[in-house]
Amino acid sequence: MSIDDIIARGVARAVKQLYGVDADPATIQPQATKKEFEGNLTVVVFPWVKAARKSPEAVGREIGDWLVENEPAVDRYNVIKGFLNIVIEPGFWASVLNHIQNTPHYGTVEPTEDSPLIMVEYSSPNTNKPLHLGHVRNNLLGYSLSEILKACGNRVIKTNIVNDRGIHICKSMLAWKKWGEGCTPESRGEKGDHLIGYFYVLFDKHYKQEVADLVAKGMSEEEAKEASPLMQEARAMLRAWEAKDPEVRKLWAMMNEWVYAGFDETYRRMGVDFDKIYYESQTYLEGKEKVLEGLEKGFMYRKDDGSVWADLTADGLDHKLLLRSDGTSVYMTQDIGTAKLRYQDYPIDKMIYVVGNEQNYHFQVLSLLLDRLGFKWGKDLVHFSYGMVELPEGKMKSREGTVVDADDLMDEMVATARSVSAELGKLDGCSEKEIDEITEMVGLGALKYFLLKVDPRKNMMFNPKESIDFNGNTGPFIQYTYARIRSVLRKAEAEGMDLTDYAGVKPGEREIAVIQRLADYPSVVAEAGRSYSPALIANYVYDLVKEYNQFYHDCSILKEEDPAVRALRLALSLCTARTIESGMGLLGIRVPERM
């Protein structure tokens, strides 16, 4: 039982005896006492003032007196207005540390076969370009959220929907046919997704030139865009694809395979994965079927031009197009089809879509439509809506070729980590193989941590230089502290020092601060799962590391002469290292054993 639970139960017993009030311990949530006041935990006593018919200060004193007398964990207290600040008996913290040390997978809950089944969709790339910085934030958020939900005791299915059909794909295909001269990723020595992205940009370059030429001949820009021979060819190719033209389908399959191989390489390096991948080319027809089924049941209606719509005005929204007049589907149709296939594949209890905040309206509509179509989780689907990420240089535009490529970004981060680490002497004595491994961990750790420490709902600026700093709220600062702790523990092990025999030791102020921070970990993980916020984990780990570094600076560990005190400090170090590794693991970040 955590110290928070012990105090909550103690307070519940106190108010029952003192005032006859039945208080549920789950509703009593002790908070860490503010640094300007004496105490470890603070309880707000206002809820019982009315029943006691006394002032908040008097109620606080009565509950405090009861706890000192009846709860062994409580040493003393003070009351500031309606806030009861509790000082935990110093010796009790050693038993808290012992509990943490001896709890496997401390802070997390193992799922069972009866645990809720949650599906998390993230990534959702298009097969006409490589993954970029926006995808990096999406993938890291989706993967981290999945790991946090698992740590909260849920069963989780990680899924991806690949947008592998549509006019944007045909643009890359047409450009390759016209100007590719039969090149392949192998012949060009280039990743497949990069090669296809090149042709997507090339199409746009030629298309813009055509439009400019037509405007120069007297057309309006809109007329020029419609008349562009290149765009007309791309649309014809899309129609041929829809009609399952064998030549077009063969080209489409070949180029998609190139892209998938490139994506897989990027995903592996990024450290994200999926349990199931769906493809729009396989789901959009399922969506059309489901929409037509809804039409038959009167959930949708058909306009005179043959298009199919949903009337959502009763829900405060508008009319939503689901099938165009020519029978072709829109994104909403594809999402309905994907939902149908997923529900056939898995008995989902909750569906979470990790998609940027520009799609907020889309998911409001999707939720209502899925509910109407009978998906039990439809109304409660979660749109994990996150803000955009930019670089100091400004926004990214794929069609103009100014996008920040994920592979290039990871290369740059690792190279920067190498130069900064070498400059600071962090790699001294390491072999070339160790240097490669450490700089990969540090570079990608810096990238991931910087993107995940920010509230996901906020837009953010990613500054590569800021992210690789061995001081401050960064991944490398945390990784270096972990490596330092592991070094201490290796030395202790080499000298045969004990990490278990510290019963009866009363930890000092610095040790207590770290133990209390460690004791918070389970509740932080639970809250991160409830609020869908990897940022809570990131900032918790940073706070833990800061607290540990203060302890490390002020307290001797290996040179401590009292073996019981030394054992406690080593146990404290071990538990801190384990918790750092666990927390960073929930963010998808590896930590190095040495630096």
Side-chain angles (χ1 to χ4, degrees):
M1 190 186 303
S2 72
I3 185 64
D4 287 14
D5 291 337
I6 289 168
I7 296 303
R9 292 188 181 197
V11 171
R13 292 201 311 275
V15 298
K16 175 67 175 173
Q17 287 193 22
L18 293 168
Y19 314 121
V21 174
D22 289 312
D24 180 357
T27 64
I28 301 169
Q29 297 178 330
Q31 302 293 319
T33 302
K34 291 182 178 178
K35 289 193 180 295
E36 59 265 36
F37 302 116
E38 182 192 31
N40 303 115
L41 293 171
T42 297
V43 174
V44 179
V45 303
F46 292 112
W48 308 294
V49 167
K50 189 175 181 181
R53 297 184 179 180
K54 295 178 181 176
S55 70
E57 291 84 351
V59 172
R61 285 193 297 272
E62 288 181 350
I63 295 173
D65 287 340
W66 190 96
L67 290 172
V68 169
E69 191 174 330
N70 296 281
E71 177 48 67
V74 176
D75 183 47
R76 60 189 187 278
Y77 72 90
N78 63 82
V79 178
I80 308 292
K81 297 184 179 176
F83 298 92
L84 171 60
N85 301 320
I86 298 165
V87 178
I88 303 300
E89 206 286 317
F92 185 79
W93 288 110
S95 66
V96 173
L97 180 61
N98 185 258
H99 166 74
I100 295 169
Q101 187 177 358
N102 291 294
T103 302
H105 311 295
Y106 172 70
T108 64
V109 179
E110 288 292 308
T112 70
E113 58 184 24
D114 297 321
S115 297
L117 181 63
I118 300 176
M119 181 175 276
V120 183
E121 175 194 291
Y122 58 96
S123 199
S124 308
N126 294 326
T127 56
N128 63 317
K129 55 190 174 185
L131 302 176
H132 56 63
L133 177 56
H135 287 116
V136 174
R137 190 180 196 193
N138 179 293
N139 278 280
L140 297 181
L141 284 170
Y143 179 83
S144 179
L145 179 61
S146 300
E147 294 303 301
I148 290 167
L149 290 170
K150 274 195 268 186
C152 292
N154 300 288
R155 293 176 296 146
V156 176
I157 301 290
K158 292 177 281 188
T159 187
N160 186 359
I161 174 71
V162 178
N163 299 305
D164 63 341
R165 60 175 286 277
I167 192 69
H168 51 294
I169 312 296
C170 292
K171 290 176 183 178
S172 294
M173 290 163 58
L174 185 60
W176 182 85
K177 271 189 78 173
K178 284 181 170 295
W179 304 296
E181 299 177 346
C183 69
T184 66
E186 290 74 25
S187 70
R188 290 272 287 257
E190 194 172 2
K191 280 179 79 225
D193 51 335
H194 290 195
L195 181 63
I196 301 307
Y198 165 78
F199 285 108
Y200 180 64
V201 172
L202 190 60
F203 175 94
D204 196 61
K205 181 181 172 185
H206 284 275
Y207 168 62
K208 280 184 174 172
Q209 187 57 54
E210 279 190 352
V211 170
D213 292 345
L214 291 169
V215 168
K217 290 177 182 176
M219 283 190 184
S220 70
E221 188 173 341
E222 283 307 308
E223 288 171 336
K225 285 178 178 178
E226 277 299 313
S228 157
L230 202 52
M231 187 60 79
Q232 288 181 359
E233 278 188 82
R235 288 176 182 143
M237 182 177 272
L238 178 58
R239 289 193 294 273
W241 184 92
E242 295 261 1
K244 299 187 178 178
D245 178 282
E247 187 183 330
V248 172
R249 285 287 179 124
K250 186 179 178 184
L251 172 61
W252 169 77
M254 177 182 75
M255 293 178 71
N256 273 345
E257 284 306 315
W258 294 348
V259 173
Y260 299 149
F263 283 172
D264 287 347
E265 197 177 317
T266 305
Y267 288 140
R268 272 194 302 274
R269 189 177 188 192
M270 206 184 295
V272 303
D273 57 11
F274 308 95
D275 301 302
K276 177 79 174 180
I277 296 181
Y278 293 89
Y279 299 90
E280 186 183 342
S281 57
Q282 297 166 359
T283 67
Y284 81 106
L285 291 174
E286 300 283 351
K288 287 173 74 171
E289 266 183 38
K290 205 71 185 163
V291 167
L292 293 173
E293 180 189 311
L295 184 64
E296 282 176 26
K297 293 180 177 177
F299 302 149
M300 286 89 180
Y301 68 93
R302 194 186 290 277
K303 284 191 176 180
D304 292 341
D305 65 357
S307 58
V308 177
W309 296 70
D311 179 359
L312 303 173
T313 52
D315 298 287
L317 303 177
D318 56 11
H319 294 258
K320 180 63 186 177
L321 173 67
L322 297 173
L323 289 175
R324 298 186 186 95
S325 56
D326 62 2
T328 56
S329 62
V330 295
Y331 271 117
M332 189 66 68
T333 324
Q334 167 234 300
D335 276 347
I336 291 169
T338 309
K340 176 189 170 184
L341 290 179
R342 286 170 175 165
Y343 198 62
Q344 285 174 357
D345 292 342
Y346 302 97
I348 305 167
D349 294 304
K350 188 178 283 293
M351 181 73 216
I352 300 176
Y353 294 86
V354 180
V355 182
N357 56 19
E358 76 278 11
Q359 294 292 326
N360 286 351
Y361 180 78
H362 176 91
F363 284 98
Q364 279 182 279
V365 173
L366 181 62
S367 176
L368 290 168
L369 293 176
L370 291 178
D371 184 58
R372 283 188 188 182
L373 292 168
F375 295 96
K376 70 172 185 178
W377 46 264
K379 205 163 191 176
D380 297 322
L381 74 78
V382 175
H383 173 206
F384 181 85
S385 171
Y386 63 89
M388 297 296 99
V389 56
E390 295 177 9
L391 287 166
E393 290 77 21
K395 292 184 178 179
M396 306 169 294
K397 297 178 183 175
S398 332
R399 286 191 303 280
E400 296 175 13
T402 57
V403 70
V404 179
D405 179 88
D407 297 311
D408 293 343
L409 180 60
M410 288 191 283
D411 284 343
E412 181 191 330
M413 294 299 295
V414 172
T416 306
R418 191 181 187 105
S419 63
V420 171
S421 299
E423 191 179 312
L424 295 173
K426 305 290 185 189
L427 304 173
D428 293 351
C430 294
S431 68
E432 195 59 34
K433 184 181 175 185
E434 284 175 324
I435 289 173
D436 288 344
E437 191 174 329
I438 290 168
T439 53
E440 183 81 7
M441 269 194 226
V442 172
L444 297 187
L447 170 65
K448 292 178 180 184
Y449 187 84
F450 202 93
L451 292 177
L452 292 173
K453 73 178 182 179
V454 177
D455 181 340
R457 293 158 190 82
K458 293 180 178 176
N459 291 343
M460 68 169 294
M461 182 78 69
F462 173 63
N463 188 323
K465 293 185 181 70
E466 260 182 51
S467 71
I468 298 185
D469 187 339
F470 285 87
N471 296 297
N473 191 3
T474 66
F477 172 67
I478 293 167
Q479 289 171 315
Y480 180 64
T481 300
Y482 176 84
R484 169 192 274 171
I485 299 172
R486 295 304 304 168
S487 172
V488 169
L489 293 171
R490 280 193 299 274
K491 289 174 185 172
E493 185 181 7
E495 294 180 33
M497 292 179 179
D498 179 69
L499 282 74
T500 58
D501 190 9
Y502 50 85
V505 174
K506 291 195 172 186
E509 183 183 342
R510 286 290 175 225
E511 289 109 331
I512 288 173
V514 181
I515 297 168
Q516 185 169 357
R517 189 67 68 185
L518 289 168
D520 291 339
Y521 185 52
S523 60
V524 172
V525 173
E527 181 55 34
R530 275 192 298 271
S531 59
Y532 307 126
S533 180
L536 290 180
I537 301 290
N539 289 291
Y540 164 81
V541 176
Y542 172 60
D543 288 341
L544 171 63
V545 163
K546 274 198 306 183
E547 209 69 75
Y548 180 86
N549 280 331
Q550 198 68 54
F551 151 76
Y552 182 86
H553 179 267
D554 293 352
C555 303
S556 176
I557 301 175
L558 297 175
K559 292 181 179 177
E560 170 57 48
E561 293 181 3
D562 184 327
V565 172
R566 186 176 63 221
L568 181 134
R569 290 176 180 173
L570 285 168
L572 180 64
S573 299
L574 175 66
C575 292
T576 302
R578 284 178 180 169
T579 306
I580 292 170
E581 185 175 23
S582 173
M584 294 293 264
L586 295 180
L587 304 176
I589 299 173
R590 294 186 299 151
V591 283
E593 289 295 306
R594 60 184 79 238
M595 277 174 78

